[in-house]
């Protein structure tokens, strides 16, 4: 398998898998269906899920369609992916009333005494796979521009 195809597959996995995973995890009792959430907050969270699914679909289409500018498709797909995943790391800094943890406050998971947020590990993995997919695709296109 050449690196362009592998890059496309990785970015497709991150985009479409991330959109699907977001629906599966967030359309749940600890997020959108949580009775403690304000109804308008649920509304906005649901809109975000559909927005990400839509832009992830467009980015995937850009990657796989015949194009004279595949470099742009790889970069656009990667930027769309990163624009969704990277805010997970800094939103609580910008909005202190938010939290990385979806459970009851004070019950965050700990490892060796430190609070660990499992969702941030998943986000770090998805962001890393995005960069790797982008890099592989761009490298492969430089080596074989007709891919």
């Amino acid at each position: 398998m050449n690196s362009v195809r592998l890059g496309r597959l990785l970015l497709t996995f991150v985009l479409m898998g991330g959109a699907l995973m977001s629906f599966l995890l967030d359309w749940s009792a600890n997020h959108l269906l949580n009775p403690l959430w304000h109804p308008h907050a649920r509304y906005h969270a649901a809109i975000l899920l559909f927005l990400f699914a839509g832009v992830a679909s467009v980015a995937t289409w850009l990657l796989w369609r015949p194009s004279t500018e595949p470099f742009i498709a790889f970069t656009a797909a990667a930027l769309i992916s990163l624009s969704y995943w990277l805010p997970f790391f800094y939103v609580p800094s910008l909005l202190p009333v938010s939290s990385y943890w979806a459970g009851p406050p004070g019950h965050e998971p700990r490892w060796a005494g430190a609070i660990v947020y499992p969702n941030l590990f998943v986000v770090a993995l998805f962001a890393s796979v995005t960069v790797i997919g982008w890099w592989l695709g761009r490298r492969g296109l430089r080596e074989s521009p007709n891919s």
Side-chain angles (χ1 to χ4, degrees):
M1 176 180 312
N2 69 31
S3 62
V4 173
R5 185 167 180 81
L6 181 57
R8 282 185 178 121
L9 288 171
L10 289 174
L11 285 168
T12 299
F13 166 75
V14 170
L15 290 160
M16 299 310 293
L20 178 63
M21 183 183 73
S22 293
F23 269 100
L24 293 174
L25 294 174
D26 290 352
W27 211 286
S28 64
N30 69 343
H31 278 73
L32 286 174
L33 305 179
N34 185 336
L36 300 176
W37 276 33
H38 190 281
H40 197 66
R42 284 187 233 164
Y43 171 80
H44 279 284
I47 286 174
L48 177 62
L49 291 177
F50 284 101
L51 174 65
F52 181 56
V55 296
S57 298
V58 170
T60 301
W61 170 75
L62 285 172
L63 280 173
W64 292 97
R65 73 185 180 92
S67 172
T68 58
E69 300 177 315
F71 284 98
I72 291 173
F74 269 95
T75 299
L79 289 173
I80 286 169
S81 178
L82 292 174
S83 71
Y84 181 74
W85 296 113
L86 292 181
F88 278 77
F89 293 112
Y90 60 80
V91 163
S93 298
L94 299 175
L95 185 63
V97 295
S98 66
S99 173
Y100 294 117
W101 180 239
H107 292 88
E108 295 85 357
R110 294 183 178 274
W111 186 61
I115 295 176
V116 207
Y117 298 103
N119 54 333
L120 294 184
F121 286 105
V122 173
V123 169
L125 175 67
F126 274 57
S128 298
V129 171
T130 295
V131 172
I132 292 166
W134 173 82
W135 179 79
L136 284 169
R138 301 272 303 192
R139 184 188 75 173
L141 288 169
R142 266 189 241 101
E143 293 169 1
S144 168
N146 298 325
S147 295

